[in-house]
Amino acid sequence: MTEMPNKAGPLSAVSPGEDLLLRRGLGTTSLTLITFSSVIGSGWLLAPYTAAKAAGPAAFLSWTIASVTTALISFAFIDLAFRHPMSGGNVRWPQLASGPLVGTVVGWAVFLQAASAGPSESTAVVQYASKWLPWVISGESLSWPGRLLAVALLAFFCTLNLFGIKLLAKVNNVVATIKVVIPVMTVILLLASGFDTSNVETGGGVAPYGISAALTAVVGGGLVYSFTGINAAAVMSGEAKNPRRTVPRATLIVLAGTIVLYMGLQAVMIFSLPNGLLGSGWHGINLQSPLAALATLLGLSWFATVLLADAVFSPSGSLLIGIGVKGRYTYGAAQNGLLPAALTKVDRRFGIPRRALLLNVSLGSVVVLAFGNWKTIASSLSFYYGLSYAAVSVAVTVLGASTPPEKGWLRKWTIPVGFGSFVLSGLILYWSTWEKIRIAVPLLLIGFLIYLARAKSRQGSAFRQQAVGGWLVGFLLMLGVLSVLGTFGGAGVIAAPYDSALVGLLSAGTWWLAHRSGLRHQRSLAQAETPEDNPETARSTA
């Protein structure tokens, strides 16, 4: 049961009383399959290929880093959903812990994710459909007819989401089962049909382009993106029957399964690739539909057809679920006060945030028409996910300190997990390269400007209380400066690996400041107001 405040607080759009209209009917099986469908989309079809092309066999290091980071952040999400179950929590927990400045900036980042995640899946569907519809592709991007088809897919799957979470869960149970079987078959059949360890030597060794290429691939190759959706059970914890039991089970089952699956798929792309294709190195491989093309080269033409069909089906399943989950992102951002209060309205008949879903699909259509390329959309998305993960890493330690350790899921491991996931998030953000940081950081600072505009009329101690969380702006500026000076697309003034070591050290210091800032914020709220007067002090209990 969730404690609800009586009225809206500082910089809050509305009372979260709309949460009571959400349908709480998701059990472990439904949450597991929803989370699996959220994770296994276009990433499994394309990320192992882009990682191999970028880093060669060192791609296994890329997946290891992405897996460890994902595991830590998954533990943080589980603990937060265990203590404070709520839909859209990935936006609301950072504000609850660190105040409206952090909530607004992170809400903006998550809103950018919500508007772009659907387009990444719909473009992947259309890209793979080019096998039968060649007119949808122009070069490496979608043609204009292809982009219009991707927009039509967004609209279709949004319509299905409008009929409620129970119908969505039933449809997804069938979809997710198929999505489990095909990737597993891919690993088994392709490794059995061709396994050549000499590919490592032919391609230039274990790390032909250096370790930095493997680090860049963590974000640029879409690896972080491939794990996005692992927080689906936690984000929808406000609609779970028993979140303290169902969210941990669902998240851990999917986490373990996807790590094994992605490592297997990367092994396929490294060891099953015909040796003759590596004459120009890993950078030189060029496969339009990577896994299907590889199956054909290995003499499995029948399975190539299956993969091409699943390449349309699998991202379609993720698109179906992703539209619903990302609708909760926007719902949470509206609850934080970043977006208009109208977007917090929950449809009374079907128990869904309908307006939030429709806004995401409308903006997603613009993204598809503007870019039309999976890699461009997916790699930019990874930066925003990384930032929201960093904020959640702080939230889990701050909110964990507000209750006895035994009341949480992580117990005594809350601080180590939060600290570790924050530092790794900082490194992943830095490794995304200056090319992406120079675009992403200014866009994220728009969230800070939105916060300033909303807080402008507030003065005195009330305003100073809302000013906590400045560490996040400093964190973004630090990443920007070091990216300019470092070796990941920067000027190289700070040589590798000293640039990464410096980012790790400064990220550790930023976490300490953020944690202390959050604790001071909690104390000031407790001293200044009663829980009934401030929704940020409301606590959720199972």
Side-chain angles (χ1 to χ4, degrees):
M1 179 177 179
T2 302
E3 295 177 16
M4 296 296 174
N6 295 326
K7 60 183 179 178
L11 298 184
S12 176
V14 294
S15 163
E18 292 287 329
D19 286 350
L20 295 174
L21 299 178
L22 296 169
R23 304 290 172 82
R24 290 162 174 78
L26 298 175
T28 300
T29 301
S30 293
L31 281 175
T32 299
L33 293 176
I34 285 173
T35 304
F36 193 87
S37 281
S38 298
V39 176
I40 303 299
S42 56
W44 81 273
L45 295 161
L46 298 171
Y49 167 71
T50 58
K53 189 177 177 70
F60 286 110
L61 173 62
S62 307
W63 282 108
T64 299
I65 294 171
S67 297
V68 171
T69 303
T70 301
L72 290 176
I73 197 63
S74 296
F75 299 158
F77 273 110
I78 290 172
D79 189 78
L80 287 166
F82 192 91
R83 297 175 189 270
H84 310 283
M86 60 178 69
S87 290
N90 57 328
V91 188
R92 299 163 73 182
W93 292 317
Q95 175 151 315
L96 188 66
S98 301
L101 192 159
V102 172
T104 302
V105 176
V106 172
W108 178 249
V110 169
F111 178 59
L112 291 174
Q113 297 172 30
S116 303
S120 72
E121 299 297 348
S122 64
T123 54
V125 171
V126 176
Q127 181 177 328
Y128 266 90
S130 64
K131 176 72 175 180
W132 301 282
L133 306 172
W135 48 270
V136 302
I137 289 288
S138 177
E140 295 185 353
S141 300
L142 299 185
S143 64
W144 280 105
R147 297 182 191 200
L148 291 174
L149 178 59
V151 169
L153 287 175
L154 283 175
F156 172 73
F157 287 113
C158 178
T159 301
L160 292 181
N161 268 273
L162 296 181
F163 291 100
I165 192 65
K166 287 188 176 180
L167 174 62
L168 184 65
K170 290 179 180 179
V171 173
N172 181 66
N173 289 346
V174 178
V175 171
T177 301
I178 298 173
K179 290 178 68 172
V180 171
V181 172
I182 300 300
V184 172
M185 287 180 61
T186 301
V187 174
I188 295 172
L189 290 176
L190 269 61
L191 284 178
S193 299
F195 189 87
D196 190 351
T197 57
S198 68
N199 282 0
V200 175
E201 183 179 351
T202 303
V206 173
Y209 309 114
I211 297 300
S212 62
L215 300 180
T216 299
V218 175
V219 176
L223 276 61
V224 170
Y225 170 78
S226 297
F227 280 109
T228 56
I230 195 68
N231 62 350
V235 170
M236 303 187 77
S237 58
E239 293 157 83
K241 290 180 180 177
N242 186 343
R244 287 194 169 190
R245 183 177 69 243
T246 56
V247 171
R249 289 179 180 177
T251 304
L252 293 176
I253 290 170
V254 176
L255 175 65
T258 51
I259 289 175
V260 172
L261 178 61
Y262 284 142
M263 287 296 186
L265 289 166
Q266 192 61 66
V268 166
M269 197 54 64
I270 296 297
F271 298 116
S272 295
L273 195 72
N275 196 273
L277 296 181
L278 294 173
S280 300
W282 296 97
H283 283 349
I285 59 176
N286 186 20
L287 302 175
Q288 184 69 33
S289 300
L291 291 172
L294 183 54
T296 300
L297 291 171
L298 294 174
L300 298 173
S301 298
W302 67 271
F303 191 63
T305 302
V306 172
L307 283 173
L308 286 170
D310 188 69
V312 174
F313 179 83
S314 187
S316 295
S318 291
L319 181 58
L320 172 67
I321 294 300
I323 286 175
V325 174
K326 300 309 184 292
R328 275 66 178 179
Y329 285 20
T330 300
Y331 171 79
Q335 289 285 14
N336 274 12
L338 174 67
L339 301 174
L343 295 172
T344 66
K345 298 298 180 183
V346 174
D347 181 84
R348 291 181 176 274
R349 180 180 179 185
F350 295 109
I352 60 166
R354 175 178 291 184
R355 295 176 182 178
L357 267 65
L358 292 174
L359 175 64
N360 287 351
V361 170
S362 299
L363 294 177
S365 299
V366 175
V367 173
V368 170
L369 295 175
F371 297 103
N373 181 281
W374 179 86
K375 185 176 179 181
T376 299
I377 299 171
S379 60
S380 61
L381 267 172
S382 296
F383 188 93
Y384 301 132
Y385 279 112
L387 183 70
S388 64
Y389 290 170
V392 165
S393 301
V394 174
V396 73
T397 61
V398 171
L399 296 179
S402 66
T403 56
E406 61 272 14
K407 296 294 185 181
W409 184 79
L410 284 171
R411 297 179 181 269
K412 65 180 181 180
W413 293 100
T414 303
I415 293 293
V417 167
F419 172 78
S421 60
F422 186 91
V423 172
L424 284 172
S425 295
L427 287 167
I428 284 176
L429 289 170
Y430 173 67
W431 294 335
S432 65
T433 74
W434 168 242
E435 180 183 3
K436 294 180 178 63
I437 290 176
R438 68 185 178 87
I439 296 173
V441 169
L443 282 175
L444 288 169
L445 291 176
I446 292 175
F448 177 63
L449 296 178
I450 293 173
Y451 165 78
L452 290 179
R454 295 182 63 83
K456 184 178 179 181
S457 62
R458 301 185 178 276
Q459 300 178 2
S461 60
F463 177 78
R464 287 195 299 272
Q465 178 177 303
Q466 301 307 320
V468 297
W471 60 267
L472 183 58
V473 177
F475 183 56
L476 290 173
L477 294 176
M478 179 271 288
L479 287 172
V481 171
L482 291 180
S483 184
V484 171
L485 299 176
T487 58
F488 290 81
V493 175
I494 306 175
Y498 303 108
D499 54 343
S500 294
L502 183 58
V503 171
L505 182 63
L506 291 177
S507 294
T510 301
W511 172 85
W512 183 81
L513 291 174
H515 181 70
R516 294 291 297 273
S517 174
L519 294 179
R520 287 195 300 271
H521 179 59
Q522 298 298 307
R523 287 195 297 269
S524 66
L525 290 178
Q527 294 169 1
E529 299 177 355
T530 62
E532 290 77 19
D533 292 331
N534 193 324
E536 290 182 1
T537 62
R539 292 292 181 263
S540 303
T541 57

